[in-house]
Amino acid sequence: MIIVTSAAGHTGSIIVKYLVDKGYPVTATDINPKVADLPGIQDSIVGDLTDLSVQHKVIDAADVLVYIPPLFSAEEALIGKSLIDLAAAKPLQQFVFVSVTHPILSSLLQHIAKRDVEEHLIYTGMSTQLPYTILQPMHYMHNFDPNQVKKTGEYQIFYSLDGRVAYVDPLDVSEVVEKVIADPKKHNKATYELVGTQPYTPKQLVTMFNAYTGLNAKASYISPDQFLDQIGAQDLYFRAGFHQLADSYSQWGLDGNPNVLTMLLGRKPHSFEDYLKRELG
C-alpha cells in the first residue's frame, strides 16, 4: 500500500490522482476530513501527524510512504524525523520525501525544517539501510491560478513584482514520484532537484497569461499580511514563515536548473504555457 500524506492539499491531491490513474493502491491521509473524498483511493486516514498514534497508524498501513510535509507547521521537523524513525523500525519498503529545492537556504523557515528532515533521513538511511528518495520540487505552478486571474483580471501576489521565481508543474513531479516508486532500487538514496522553468517575475507570468487568453490582466502587489488575512491564516508560525518567504523571494527570488527533471522525465518539463493550456483549455 502506498500512503500519501498531506493528500488533501494541492500537491498531494494531484500526486494521489496520478498514482490512482496508474493503477497503484493508495491510502490518502490528511488532517482535513475531505481527504476521504479523493476519487479512486482504497482508504483514508484522517488525523494530525503531530499525534504519535496517528503516525503509528500511517506507518502500520504503509508499504511505501510518500511524505509531503504539512504547510508551515512549527513541528514540521519533528513530524518528519519521527516518521523516518518509525519507517526504519518497521521497516518500510520505501520512503519518498517530497522536500523543496535548495533546503539549505536559511532565509526560509520551511526550507530549514526540510533540510533538517533530509539530514535525518540520510543518516538513518546509512545506519539502517531504509530505502529512500528525496525529491526537491521548485515553486509549484498551481500557485498561479489562471482561472482566478481570468475571473478577476488581476494576479495578486505577496512579493515584489520584480521577484524572479522558477516553477515546476505538479504533474511532472507526480510523474517522477511514480517513476521512483516503480523502481525503488534504481532511485534508492538519490536526491533529485525538480526544476521545470526559468525564473519568471509576476509581471512576466501575467504577460504570458495575457498572450494566451487575449485578456489584459495585471499583476498587483499586496502585503503578506493582507494575503494571509484573505486566506484566514492566523497561526503565528505560518505567518512568520510566509513573511520570510515574501522577503526572500523579493530580495533574491528562487531558481535552479531543469537538467535533472529533464533526465528523469525523458523529455522537457512542462512549460508555464503548457500549464495555462491545460488549466484554461
Side-chain angles (χ1 to χ4, degrees), residues 138-139 159 163-167 197-201 249 253-255:
M138 180 48 73
H139 197 68
Y159 60 89
R164 294 170 56 81
V165 176
Y167 288 82
T197 74
Q198 67 185 65
Y200 295 115
T201 68
Y249 282 12
L254 187 69
D255 63 13

Side-chain angles (χ1 to χ4, degrees), residues 4-14 16 27-30 35 38 68:
V4 180
T5 68
S6 300
H10 283 296
T11 305
S13 61
I14 292 169
V16 166
T27 291
T29 182
D30 200 289
V35 72
L38 291 176
I68 304 170

Side-chain angles (χ1 to χ4, degrees), residues 231-254:
I231 66 174
Q234 296 301 311
D235 178 83
L236 292 178
Y237 184 90
F238 191 110
R239 294 180 75 95
F242 217 89
H243 273 278
Q244 283 198 4
L245 187 150
D247 291 342
S248 186
Y249 282 12
S250 294
Q251 183 169 353
W252 296 290
L254 187 69

Side-chain angles (χ1 to χ4, degrees), residues 64-82:
V64 174
L65 182 66
V66 179
Y67 173 52
I68 304 170
L71 183 63
F72 287 121
S73 168
E75 296 165 289
E76 179 180 338
L78 290 173
I79 292 169
K81 291 177 182 180
S82 178

Side-chain angles (χ1 to χ4, degrees), residues 48-194:
D48 185 343
L49 287 177
T50 63
D51 185 329
L52 186 59
S53 67
V54 174
Q55 290 201 5
H56 276 286
K57 190 174 182 179
V58 167
I59 296 298
D60 288 346
D63 299 303
V64 174
L65 182 66
V66 179
Y67 173 52
I68 304 170
L71 183 63
F72 287 121
S73 168
E75 296 165 289
E76 179 180 338
L78 290 173
I79 292 169
K81 291 177 182 180
S82 178
L83 283 170
I84 291 165
D85 291 342
L86 294 176
K90 184 176 179 178
L92 280 189
Q93 295 176 10
Q94 193 178 18
F95 192 108
V96 182
F97 178 31
V98 182
S99 181
V100 68
T101 303
H102 306 325
I104 198 171
L105 294 178
S106 59
S107 61
L108 295 155
L109 276 179
Q110 78 275 25
H111 286 232
I112 294 169
K114 291 174 180 65
R115 191 217 73 86
D116 290 348
V117 174
E118 285 193 18
E119 179 184 55
H120 190 70
L121 183 55
I122 292 167
Y123 276 124
T124 302
M126 290 190 289
S127 61
T128 70
Q129 299 309 308
L130 170 69
Y132 73 84
T133 306
I134 298 170
L135 304 180
Q136 298 178 330
M138 180 48 73
H139 197 68
Y140 289 108
M141 289 182 186
H142 58 233
N143 288 301
F144 181 99
D145 184 345
N147 287 294
Q148 180 67 15
V149 176
K150 184 177 180 180
K151 179 180 178 181
T152 63
E154 185 178 21
Y155 175 45
Q156 292 187 335
I157 192 64
F158 51 86
Y159 60 89
S160 168
L161 297 182
D162 296 314
R164 294 170 56 81
V165 176
Y167 288 82
V168 68
D169 188 336
L171 280 184
D172 285 345
V173 175
S174 300
E175 185 172 334
V176 172
V177 170
E178 191 275 329
K179 287 177 181 289
V180 166
I181 290 172
D183 198 347
K185 289 184 179 180
K186 178 179 179 179
H187 300 287
N188 185 27
K189 298 189 176 181
T191 299
Y192 295 132
E193 185 177 275
L194 307 182

Side-chain angles (χ1 to χ4, degrees), residues 34-52:
K34 291 183 179 180
V35 72
D37 300 327
L38 291 176
I41 60 174
Q42 294 202 1
D43 200 0
S44 64
I45 299 172
V46 178
D48 185 343
L49 287 177
T50 63
D51 185 329
L52 186 59

